[in-house]
PDB file of all heavy atoms in Angstrom:
ATOM      1  N   ALA M 118      -9.522   5.768  -4.176  1.00  0.00           N
ATOM      2  CA  ALA M 118     -10.709   6.493  -3.748  1.00  0.00           C
ATOM      3  C   ALA M 118     -10.400   7.236  -2.463  1.00  0.00           C
ATOM      4  O   ALA M 118      -9.548   6.820  -1.688  1.00  0.00           O
ATOM      5  CB  ALA M 118     -11.866   5.532  -3.516  1.00  0.00           C
ATOM      6  N   ILE M 119     -11.063   8.327  -2.268  1.00  0.00           N
ATOM      7  CA  ILE M 119     -11.056   8.990  -0.975  1.00  0.00           C
ATOM      8  C   ILE M 119     -12.417   8.706  -0.382  1.00  0.00           C
ATOM      9  O   ILE M 119     -13.436   8.912  -1.023  1.00  0.00           O
ATOM     10  CB  ILE M 119     -10.807  10.501  -1.107  1.00  0.00           C
ATOM     11  CG1 ILE M 119      -9.382  10.729  -1.593  1.00  0.00           C
ATOM     12  CG2 ILE M 119     -11.062  11.200   0.220  1.00  0.00           C
ATOM     13  CD1 ILE M 119      -9.001  12.174  -1.739  1.00  0.00           C
ATOM     14  N   VAL M 120     -12.410   8.209   0.829  1.00  0.00           N
ATOM     15  CA  VAL M 120     -13.674   7.866   1.470  1.00  0.00           C
ATOM     16  C   VAL M 120     -13.877   8.738   2.699  1.00  0.00           C
ATOM     17  O   VAL M 120     -12.921   9.193   3.317  1.00  0.00           O
ATOM     18  CB  VAL M 120     -13.723   6.374   1.858  1.00  0.00           C
ATOM     19  CG1 VAL M 120     -13.659   5.490   0.630  1.00  0.00           C
ATOM     20  CG2 VAL M 120     -12.615   6.013   2.824  1.00  0.00           C
ATOM     21  N   THR M 121     -15.117   8.989   3.009  1.00  0.00           N
ATOM     22  CA  THR M 121     -15.482   9.768   4.187  1.00  0.00           C
ATOM     23  C   THR M 121     -16.593   9.032   4.918  1.00  0.00           C
ATOM     24  O   THR M 121     -17.245   8.154   4.346  1.00  0.00           O
ATOM     25  CB  THR M 121     -15.997  11.173   3.802  1.00  0.00           C
ATOM     26  OG1 THR M 121     -17.202  11.034   3.061  1.00  0.00           O
ATOM     27  CG2 THR M 121     -14.979  11.935   2.980  1.00  0.00           C
ATOM     28  N   THR M 122     -16.802   9.408   6.147  1.00  0.00           N
ATOM     29  CA  THR M 122     -17.939   8.841   6.857  1.00  0.00           C
ATOM     30  C   THR M 122     -19.209   9.437   6.270  1.00  0.00           C
ATOM     31  O   THR M 122     -19.219  10.580   5.807  1.00  0.00           O
ATOM     32  CB  THR M 122     -17.859   9.146   8.368  1.00  0.00           C
ATOM     33  OG1 THR M 122     -17.787  10.549   8.549  1.00  0.00           O
ATOM     34  CG2 THR M 122     -16.634   8.475   8.988  1.00  0.00           C
ATOM     35  N   LYS M 123     -20.282   8.682   6.264  1.00  0.00           N
ATOM     36  CA  LYS M 123     -21.537   9.130   5.663  1.00  0.00           C
ATOM     37  C   LYS M 123     -22.042  10.419   6.309  1.00  0.00           C
ATOM     38  O   LYS M 123     -22.543  11.315   5.631  1.00  0.00           O
ATOM     39  CB  LYS M 123     -22.593   8.031   5.770  1.00  0.00           C
ATOM     40  CG  LYS M 123     -23.869   8.358   5.037  1.00  0.00           C
ATOM     41  CD  LYS M 123     -24.809   7.180   5.036  1.00  0.00           C
ATOM     42  CE  LYS M 123     -26.036   7.532   4.211  1.00  0.00           C
ATOM     43  NZ  LYS M 123     -26.932   6.378   4.074  1.00  0.00           N
ATOM     44  N   ASP M 124     -21.866  10.531   7.622  1.00  0.00           N
ATOM     45  CA  ASP M 124     -22.387  11.713   8.323  1.00  0.00           C
ATOM     46  C   ASP M 124     -21.491  12.947   8.193  1.00  0.00           C
ATOM     47  O   ASP M 124     -21.797  14.001   8.737  1.00  0.00           O
ATOM     48  CB  ASP M 124     -22.648  11.403   9.800  1.00  0.00           C
ATOM     49  CG  ASP M 124     -21.401  11.000  10.566  1.00  0.00           C
ATOM     50  OD1 ASP M 124     -20.312  10.912   9.955  1.00  0.00           O
ATOM     51  OD2 ASP M 124     -21.525  10.764  11.785  1.00  0.00           O
ATOM     52  N   SER M 125     -20.399  12.857   7.434  1.00  0.00           N
ATOM     53  CA  SER M 125     -19.506  14.010   7.274  1.00  0.00           C
ATOM     54  C   SER M 125     -20.119  15.116   6.425  1.00  0.00           C
ATOM     55  O   SER M 125     -19.736  16.270   6.537  1.00  0.00           O
ATOM     56  CB  SER M 125     -18.182  13.578   6.632  1.00  0.00           C
ATOM     57  OG  SER M 125     -18.381  13.274   5.251  1.00  0.00           O
ATOM     58  N   GLY M 126     -21.044  14.743   5.528  1.00  0.00           N
ATOM     59  CA  GLY M 126     -21.636  15.721   4.620  1.00  0.00           C
ATOM     60  C   GLY M 126     -20.737  16.064   3.440  1.00  0.00           C
ATOM     61  O   GLY M 126     -21.101  16.893   2.602  1.00  0.00           O
ATOM     62  N   LEU M 127     -19.578  15.442   3.337  1.00  0.00           N
ATOM     63  CA  LEU M 127     -18.652  15.726   2.235  1.00  0.00           C
ATOM     64  C   LEU M 127     -19.077  14.944   1.001  1.00  0.00           C
ATOM     65  O   LEU M 127     -19.214  13.725   1.048  1.00  0.00           O
ATOM     66  CB  LEU M 127     -17.224  15.356   2.630  1.00  0.00           C
ATOM     67  CG  LEU M 127     -16.659  16.101   3.830  1.00  0.00           C
ATOM     68  CD1 LEU M 127     -15.283  15.566   4.179  1.00  0.00           C
ATOM     69  CD2 LEU M 127     -16.609  17.590   3.564  1.00  0.00           C
ATOM     70  N   GLU M 128     -19.274  15.674  -0.092  1.00  0.00           N
ATOM     71  CA  GLU M 128     -19.710  15.028  -1.329  1.00  0.00           C
ATOM     72  C   GLU M 128     -18.809  15.337  -2.505  1.00  0.00           C
ATOM     73  O   GLU M 128     -18.903  14.690  -3.545  1.00  0.00           O
ATOM     74  CB  GLU M 128     -21.146  15.467  -1.652  1.00  0.00           C
ATOM     75  CG  GLU M 128     -22.147  15.011  -0.605  1.00  0.00           C
ATOM     76  CD  GLU M 128     -23.563  15.488  -0.906  1.00  0.00           C
ATOM     77  OE1 GLU M 128     -23.776  16.142  -1.957  1.00  0.00           O
ATOM     78  OE2 GLU M 128     -24.450  15.195  -0.091  1.00  0.00           O
ATOM     79  N   ARG M 129     -17.957  16.365  -2.369  1.00  0.00           N
ATOM     80  CA  ARG M 129     -17.104  16.786  -3.477  1.00  0.00           C
ATOM     81  C   ARG M 129     -15.697  17.053  -2.957  1.00  0.00           C
ATOM     82  O   ARG M 129     -15.517  17.445  -1.806  1.00  0.00           O
ATOM     83  CB  ARG M 129     -17.649  18.055  -4.124  1.00  0.00           C
ATOM     84  CG  ARG M 129     -19.072  17.909  -4.663  1.00  0.00           C
ATOM     85  CD  ARG M 129     -19.454  19.063  -5.560  1.00  0.00           C
ATOM     86  NE  ARG M 129     -18.465  19.336  -6.577  1.00  0.00           N
ATOM     87  CZ  ARG M 129     -18.369  18.699  -7.759  1.00  0.00           C
ATOM     88  NH1 ARG M 129     -19.207  17.738  -8.035  1.00  0.00           N
ATOM     89  NH2 ARG M 129     -17.433  19.030  -8.620  1.00  0.00           N
ATOM     90  N   PRO M 130     -14.678  16.905  -3.797  1.00  0.00           N
ATOM     91  CA  PRO M 130     -13.310  17.152  -3.360  1.00  0.00           C
ATOM     92  C   PRO M 130     -13.082  18.544  -2.772  1.00  0.00           C
ATOM     93  O   PRO M 130     -12.363  18.687  -1.778  1.00  0.00           O
ATOM     94  CB  PRO M 130     -12.486  16.950  -4.635  1.00  0.00           C
ATOM     95  CG  PRO M 130     -13.284  15.980  -5.439  1.00  0.00           C
ATOM     96  CD  PRO M 130     -14.722  16.354  -5.158  1.00  0.00           C
ATOM     97  N   GLN M 132     -14.812  20.211  -0.911  1.00  0.00           N
ATOM     98  CA  GLN M 132     -15.276  20.270   0.472  1.00  0.00           C
ATOM     99  C   GLN M 132     -14.239  19.720   1.451  1.00  0.00           C
ATOM    100  O   GLN M 132     -14.438  19.792   2.659  1.00  0.00           O
ATOM    101  CB  GLN M 132     -16.593  19.498   0.613  1.00  0.00           C
ATOM    102  CG  GLN M 132     -17.741  20.158  -0.129  1.00  0.00           C
ATOM    103  CD  GLN M 132     -18.992  19.297  -0.099  1.00  0.00           C
ATOM    104  OE1 GLN M 132     -18.969  18.122  -0.432  1.00  0.00           O
ATOM    105  NE2 GLN M 132     -20.092  19.914   0.323  1.00  0.00           N
ATOM    106  N   LEU M 133     -13.118  19.211   0.944  1.00  0.00           N
ATOM    107  CA  LEU M 133     -12.043  18.744   1.815  1.00  0.00           C
ATOM    108  C   LEU M 133     -11.201  19.889   2.359  1.00  0.00           C
ATOM    109  O   LEU M 133     -10.409  19.691   3.283  1.00  0.00           O
ATOM    110  CB  LEU M 133     -11.140  17.749   1.074  1.00  0.00           C
ATOM    111  CG  LEU M 133     -11.793  16.431   0.672  1.00  0.00           C
ATOM    112  CD1 LEU M 133     -10.837  15.598  -0.172  1.00  0.00           C
ATOM    113  CD2 LEU M 133     -12.234  15.658   1.896  1.00  0.00           C
ATOM    114  N   LYS M 136     -10.378  20.296   6.147  1.00  0.00           N
ATOM    115  CA  LYS M 136     -10.718  19.026   6.812  1.00  0.00           C
ATOM    116  C   LYS M 136      -9.448  18.220   7.093  1.00  0.00           C
ATOM    117  O   LYS M 136      -8.369  18.529   6.620  1.00  0.00           O
ATOM    118  CB  LYS M 136     -11.667  18.193   5.940  1.00  0.00           C
ATOM    119  CG  LYS M 136     -12.951  18.894   5.573  1.00  0.00           C
ATOM    120  CD  LYS M 136     -13.807  19.134   6.797  1.00  0.00           C
ATOM    121  CE  LYS M 136     -15.128  19.728   6.378  1.00  0.00           C
ATOM    122  NZ  LYS M 136     -15.722  20.569   7.352  1.00  0.00           N
ATOM    123  N   VAL M 137      -9.614  17.144   7.836  1.00  0.00           N
ATOM    124  CA  VAL M 137      -8.522  16.230   8.145  1.00  0.00           C
ATOM    125  C   VAL M 137      -8.472  15.147   7.079  1.00  0.00           C
ATOM    126  O   VAL M 137      -9.499  14.548   6.749  1.00  0.00           O
ATOM    127  CB  VAL M 137      -8.715  15.580   9.535  1.00  0.00           C
ATOM    128  CG1 VAL M 137      -7.666  14.509   9.785  1.00  0.00           C
ATOM    129  CG2 VAL M 137      -8.668  16.642  10.612  1.00  0.00           C
ATOM    130  N   TYR M 138      -7.281  14.906   6.558  1.00  0.00           N
ATOM    131  CA  TYR M 138      -7.056  13.831   5.595  1.00  0.00           C
ATOM    132  C   TYR M 138      -6.065  12.853   6.227  1.00  0.00           C
ATOM    133  O   TYR M 138      -4.940  13.233   6.558  1.00  0.00           O
ATOM    134  CB  TYR M 138      -6.501  14.396   4.287  1.00  0.00           C
ATOM    135  CG  TYR M 138      -6.133  13.335   3.286  1.00  0.00           C
ATOM    136  CD1 TYR M 138      -7.114  12.719   2.519  1.00  0.00           C
ATOM    137  CD2 TYR M 138      -4.815  12.937   3.116  1.00  0.00           C
ATOM    138  CE1 TYR M 138      -6.786  11.735   1.607  1.00  0.00           C
ATOM    139  CE2 TYR M 138      -4.477  11.957   2.208  1.00  0.00           C
ATOM    140  CZ  TYR M 138      -5.464  11.350   1.458  1.00  0.00           C
ATOM    141  OH  TYR M 138      -5.139  10.376   0.569  1.00  0.00           O
ATOM    142  N   TRP M 174      -8.196   4.373   9.900  1.00  0.00           N
ATOM    143  CA  TRP M 174      -9.642   4.519  10.020  1.00  0.00           C
ATOM    144  C   TRP M 174     -10.045   5.137  11.342  1.00  0.00           C
ATOM    145  O   TRP M 174     -11.204   5.410  11.572  1.00  0.00           O
ATOM    146  CB  TRP M 174     -10.331   3.173   9.845  1.00  0.00           C
ATOM    147  CG  TRP M 174     -10.190   2.675   8.448  1.00  0.00           C
ATOM    148  CD1 TRP M 174      -9.380   1.676   8.026  1.00  0.00           C
ATOM    149  CD2 TRP M 174     -10.842   3.178   7.288  1.00  0.00           C
ATOM    150  NE1 TRP M 174      -9.493   1.514   6.674  1.00  0.00           N
ATOM    151  CE2 TRP M 174     -10.391   2.427   6.194  1.00  0.00           C
ATOM    152  CE3 TRP M 174     -11.767   4.189   7.059  1.00  0.00           C
ATOM    153  CZ2 TRP M 174     -10.832   2.651   4.896  1.00  0.00           C
ATOM    154  CZ3 TRP M 174     -12.208   4.412   5.762  1.00  0.00           C
ATOM    155  CH2 TRP M 174     -11.740   3.644   4.704  1.00  0.00           C
ATOM    156  N   ASP M 178     -12.007  13.182  13.241  1.00  0.00           N
ATOM    157  CA  ASP M 178     -12.581  14.373  12.624  1.00  0.00           C
ATOM    158  C   ASP M 178     -12.839  14.116  11.145  1.00  0.00           C
ATOM    159  O   ASP M 178     -11.960  14.298  10.319  1.00  0.00           O
ATOM    160  CB  ASP M 178     -11.633  15.571  12.746  1.00  0.00           C
ATOM    161  CG  ASP M 178     -11.317  15.915  14.167  1.00  0.00           C
ATOM    162  OD1 ASP M 178     -12.180  15.707  15.027  1.00  0.00           O
ATOM    163  OD2 ASP M 178     -10.203  16.395  14.412  1.00  0.00           O
ATOM    164  N   THR M 179     -14.017  13.678  10.800  1.00  0.00           N
ATOM    165  CA  THR M 179     -14.410  13.471   9.412  1.00  0.00           C
ATOM    166  C   THR M 179     -13.333  12.726   8.628  1.00  0.00           C
ATOM    167  O   THR M 179     -12.544  13.323   7.913  1.00  0.00           O
ATOM    168  CB  THR M 179     -14.711  14.824   8.729  1.00  0.00           C
ATOM    169  OG1 THR M 179     -15.512  15.598   9.581  1.00  0.00           O
ATOM    170  CG2 THR M 179     -15.446  14.600   7.438  1.00  0.00           C
ATOM    171  N   SER M 180     -13.290  11.433   8.771  1.00  0.00           N
ATOM    172  CA  SER M 180     -12.224  10.617   8.168  1.00  0.00           C
ATOM    173  C   SER M 180     -12.195  10.711   6.651  1.00  0.00           C
ATOM    174  O   SER M 180     -13.222  10.692   6.009  1.00  0.00           O
ATOM    175  CB  SER M 180     -12.420   9.151   8.553  1.00  0.00           C
ATOM    176  OG  SER M 180     -12.275   8.974   9.924  1.00  0.00           O
ATOM    177  N   GLN M 181     -10.999  10.802   6.141  1.00  0.00           N
ATOM    178  CA  GLN M 181     -10.744  10.620   4.729  1.00  0.00           C
ATOM    179  C   GLN M 181      -9.565   9.668   4.617  1.00  0.00           C
ATOM    180  O   GLN M 181      -8.699   9.654   5.466  1.00  0.00           O
ATOM    181  CB  GLN M 181     -10.399  11.933   4.014  1.00  0.00           C
ATOM    182  CG  GLN M 181     -11.547  12.904   3.937  1.00  0.00           C
ATOM    183  CD  GLN M 181     -11.577  13.843   5.101  1.00  0.00           C
ATOM    184  OE1 GLN M 181     -10.560  14.353   5.493  1.00  0.00           O
ATOM    185  NE2 GLN M 181     -12.746  14.058   5.639  1.00  0.00           N
ATOM    186  N   CYS M 182      -9.547   8.879   3.585  1.00  0.00           N
ATOM    187  CA  CYS M 182      -8.466   7.925   3.410  1.00  0.00           C
ATOM    188  C   CYS M 182      -8.266   7.688   1.926  1.00  0.00           C
ATOM    189  O   CYS M 182      -9.230   7.599   1.183  1.00  0.00           O
ATOM    190  CB  CYS M 182      -8.823   6.612   4.092  1.00  0.00           C
ATOM    191  SG  CYS M 182      -7.681   5.288   3.755  1.00  0.00           S
ATOM    192  N   CYS M 183      -7.041   7.603   1.485  1.00  0.00           N
ATOM    193  CA  CYS M 183      -6.761   7.332   0.076  1.00  0.00           C
ATOM    194  C   CYS M 183      -6.362   5.895  -0.112  1.00  0.00           C
ATOM    195  O   CYS M 183      -5.474   5.401   0.571  1.00  0.00           O
ATOM    196  CB  CYS M 183      -5.651   8.254  -0.413  1.00  0.00           C
ATOM    197  SG  CYS M 183      -5.338   8.128  -2.166  1.00  0.00           S
TER     198      CYS M 183
END
Side-chain angles (χ1 to χ4, degrees):
I119 292 181
V120 296
T121 64
T122 57
K123 186 173 184 175
D124 62 358
S125 72
L127 299 176
E128 296 178 2
R129 301 193 50 84
Q132 293 174 308
L133 295 174
K136 303 294 185 209
V137 173
Y138 175 79
W174 292 106
D178 300 328
T179 314
S180 295
Q181 292 91 44
C182 172
C183 186

